[in-house]
Amino acid sequence: MDIKQLKFLIALDETRHFGQAAARCHITQPTLSMRLRSLEEELDLPLVNRGQRFEGFTAPGERVLAWARTVLAAYDGLQAEAAACRGNLVGTLRLGVVPLSSFDPVPLMQRLHAEHPNLRFELSALSSEQILEQLANNRLDLGVSYLERLDGERFDSLAFSETRMGLLYDQRFFSFGEAPLSWESLIELPLGMLTSGMHFRQSIDHNFHSRGLTPQPLLQTDAVHQLLQAVHGGLCCAVMPLDSGLENLTDHLRLQPIESARTLARLGLIMRRSAPRSALAEACFAIYQQSLTDS
């Protein structure tokens, strides 16, 4: 058994296709199949259900897959730890961010990349539940998520400032003057919103409902980019995080403050407490913590 075999197993899980897994690992499909069969023979367990194409993992295969991820995380952590001891950061920092977060990860990534050019980044948009699950399973290094009901015994966190809200609109289609908007003034507008169940949408609904208002959104979507496209096309306006920089995407967008508009819970940077914890996560966490002290 070697590290490459475990990488092949994980690649197959992520692609769900023998040919794509082989291409990702830069080997031929017969080589991939041969190495996986060799792993099955060594473990004396069937790991993969095979037919005309990939049909999933066996029950023992799922359990071995979980261990493979743990072993690879420890291997990558060992490499990163050794590099950190030499004063370098190498590898891939895996960061999960909830949709419509007021936190912009780009400045932090720019600083890290400037100081450590060999560092790479993997950025994923995930729900709060997915972020906590993947942090716990060591599939993410850091998460940006809501701190509501966060288990402080399992995770370290750095709280951000409160997330305020504004109305994003295209000035070619709408005009609202300069004063902050009221929630009452929004109720008659064509609004685009994220789908129900997403935390930012829950905060929007709470602000409306606490004032006895019931919005009737023109558009609902689970994709932020589609919501931005609809706003830019003049189909609707959308309640978005203030200070998110979204208004800078084009010359026509504007993000106008809404009175007394905040999310239900604060966002924060989250890192798992239990080992193995990557040196990349710890370095990034420390850098952001220092930036809070400096400011």
Side-chain angles (χ1 to χ4, degrees):
M1 185 189 305
D2 58 41
I3 290 294
K4 286 185 177 180
Q5 286 173 301
L6 302 184
K7 289 182 178 180
F8 299 161
L9 197 67
I10 291 173
L12 183 58
D13 177 48
E14 292 177 347
T15 62
R16 318 300 288 185
H17 189 279
F18 286 108
Q20 293 177 16
R24 175 180 290 192
C25 297
H26 307 291
I27 58 174
T28 64
Q29 184 171 331
T31 299
L32 178 83
S33 297
M34 180 188 68
R35 296 300 305 277
L36 291 180
R37 287 191 184 279
S38 175
L39 180 61
E40 289 176 317
E41 291 172 2
E42 182 173 349
L43 296 175
D44 194 22
L45 284 171
L47 304 178
V48 180
N49 291 317
R50 295 174 175 85
Q52 293 292 334
R53 56 180 61 89
F54 174 74
E55 296 180 355
F57 290 93
T58 63
E62 293 285 356
R63 298 180 66 174
V64 170
L65 183 64
W67 278 104
R69 290 191 180 279
T70 300
V71 171
L72 274 184
Y75 175 80
D76 292 342
L78 174 61
Q79 297 287 349
E81 191 71 38
C85 291
R86 298 192 300 269
N88 301 315
L89 292 180
V90 299
T92 300
L93 179 72
R94 303 162 300 173
L95 177 64
V97 182
V98 291
L100 292 186
S101 166
S102 58
F103 173 76
D104 182 1
V106 173
L108 183 60
M109 291 190 292
Q110 288 174 326
R111 176 175 175 179
L112 285 166
H113 183 62
E115 296 178 6
H116 306 281
N118 292 322
L119 189 59
R120 298 293 180 263
F121 304 94
E122 185 177 299
L123 190 60
S124 303
L126 302 166
S127 69
S128 297
E129 293 77 13
Q130 289 172 321
I131 287 174
L132 294 181
E133 178 186 358
Q134 293 193 28
L135 283 171
N137 295 335
N138 208 15
R139 297 178 67 178
L140 286 178
D141 299 307
L142 292 172
V144 174
S145 183
Y146 295 97
L147 302 181
E148 188 179 32
R149 297 188 296 273
L150 183 71
D151 186 349
E153 293 186 358
R154 299 177 63 199
F155 302 100
D156 289 325
S157 64
L158 292 172
F160 302 153
S161 58
E162 285 187 316
T163 300
R164 298 180 299 148
M165 297 176 175
L167 185 72
L168 186 71
Y169 63 92
D170 192 303
Q171 297 180 88
R172 295 172 298 177
F173 304 99
F174 299 93
S175 178
F176 299 107
E178 299 296 329
L181 301 170
S182 67
W183 287 99
E184 289 76 8
S185 68
L186 304 184
I187 200 67
E188 299 299 329
L189 293 175
L191 291 177
M193 294 185 182
L194 293 178
T195 49
S196 299
M198 302 183 81
H199 200 291
F200 194 79
R201 169 65 185 273
Q202 293 173 2
S203 293
I204 295 173
D205 286 344
H206 173 77
N207 277 281
F208 275 120
H209 295 160
S210 65
R211 294 167 174 82
L213 304 171
T214 303
Q216 299 294 329
L218 174 64
L219 169 68
Q220 297 187 76
T221 176
D222 61 357
V224 174
H225 74 277
Q226 291 180 338
L227 190 54
L228 293 174
Q229 287 174 339
V231 171
H232 185 252
L235 176 66
C236 59
C237 307
V239 179
M240 295 286 192
L242 208 59
D243 304 320
S244 60
L246 292 173
E247 71 275 22
N248 298 322
L249 293 176
T250 77
D251 294 334
H252 304 295
L253 293 178
R254 182 172 179 192
L255 189 54
Q256 191 152 337
I258 303 171
E259 294 175 348
S260 304
R262 291 176 174 81
T263 55
L264 292 170
R266 284 200 177 193
L267 286 165
L269 188 66
I270 303 171
M271 177 174 61
R272 60 181 272 162
R273 301 191 71 175
S274 60
R277 191 164 73 175
S278 79
L280 303 184
E282 292 179 340
C284 183
F285 198 84
I287 287 173
Y288 188 75
Q289 190 171 32
Q290 184 61 48
S291 71
L292 294 178
T293 303
D294 294 340
S295 60

